[in-house]
Amino acid sequence: MSRGLFDCTGKVTLVTGGNSGIGLGFARGVAKMGGDIAIWARSAEKNAAAKQDLLDAGAGRVETYSIDVTGEQNVIDGYAALIADFGRVDCVFANSGRSAKQHALLDMPTEEWHDLLNLNLHGTFFTLREGARAMVKRAEAGEPGGSLVGCGSLSMFQGLAGRQNYAASKGALGAIIRGMAVEFGKYGIRANTIAPGFILTGIGGGGMEQVEQMFAQRTPLQRAGRPEDFEGLGAYLASDASSFVSGETITVDGGYMVRPM
């Protein structure tokens, strides 16, 4: 049964870090449109809860895998398992990442610089590259198409004091995505970046009320973002409705970037 313009029936979407927060919101949007979903994340308990959430939302099929994307071979093996289970991948949302631990560049240990980039940049690159390989192989067999999506941030546009490693990872991601849009367009594969503003994901733990209030006051829509704000975008980017959208960075920030100073 068709679900309209954003129908994802028969399409397989991989979401890394997809058992909570923005990743789960994106996946839930795909699920509501009948898509099949693969979740890569490391917590078995959260994976199980996410799987049930997505099945309840309407997903055709959901499988979860414990994959550490910082290991290149882990990612390669993860795709082998995914293709064995589903037979294909149509959309990849490379969402796994973390925030910076240090708050002063002059005090940032070299290990912190490299550790964050290993996840946010290198893990994302491995995920997108292997997704592109699977999509190109399918295109060469006669079925073009696919959607590659990276999770950026507003630090792609603004200076971020004390968290330059985080900003570097997101800025580099934007360049990678734009290059992929150019390189793989001939296969019908599109590549885009989502740049979230301040989103309440629960990662910050308690004591976030003041931070939420501060961002709400500075945001034209006068609230912080929530994971469910990514449901519609997930359905859009995974479906054929976005088939002529590529090389873009889509901000999801309640108007934060265009507010008067």
Side-chain angles (χ1 to χ4, degrees), residues 18 24 27-29 31 37 39 49-59 62:
L24 183 56
R28 194 180 295 118
I37 301 165
I39 297 294
K51 179 174 182 176
Q52 191 59 54
D53 179 321
L54 296 171
L55 289 171
D56 291 344
V62 180

Side-chain angles (χ1 to χ4, degrees), residues 71-85:
E72 180 179 12
Q73 192 61 48
N74 296 339
V75 174
I76 293 171
D77 293 344
Y79 270 101
L82 186 158
I83 297 299
D85 286 341

Side-chain angles (χ1 to χ4, degrees), residues 54-97:
L54 296 171
L55 289 171
D56 291 344
R61 178 182 179 185
V62 180
E63 299 294 340
T64 64
Y65 309 81
S66 179
I67 304 291
D68 179 356
V69 299
T70 62
E72 180 179 12
Q73 192 61 48
N74 296 339
V75 174
I76 293 171
D77 293 344
Y79 270 101
L82 186 158
I83 297 299
D85 286 341
F86 289 95
R88 61 187 297 122
V89 61
D90 298 278
C91 177
V92 174
F93 181 30
N95 169 69
S96 289

Side-chain angles (χ1 to χ4, degrees), residues 154-155 157-161 167:
L154 300 188
S155 67
F157 316 108
Q158 299 176 325
L160 193 61

Side-chain angles (χ1 to χ4, degrees), residues 5-9 11-15 21-37 54 90-95 146-150 190 192-194 226-243 250 252:
L5 183 62
F6 295 165
D7 186 21
C8 294
T9 305
K11 295 185 181 297
V12 177
T13 296
L14 165 64
V15 182
I22 292 170
L24 183 56
F26 187 102
R28 194 180 295 118
V30 178
K32 288 182 176 180
M33 294 295 104
D36 297 336
I37 301 165
L54 296 171
D90 298 278
C91 177
V92 174
F93 181 30
N95 169 69
S147 177
L148 300 168
V149 185
R190 55 204 188 273
N192 296 285
T193 305
I194 296 172
R226 299 181 289 266
E228 51 264 37
D229 291 318
F230 294 84
E231 292 183 10
L233 198 54
Y236 174 66
L237 290 174
S239 73
D240 292 337
S242 59
S243 62
I250 304 169
V252 186

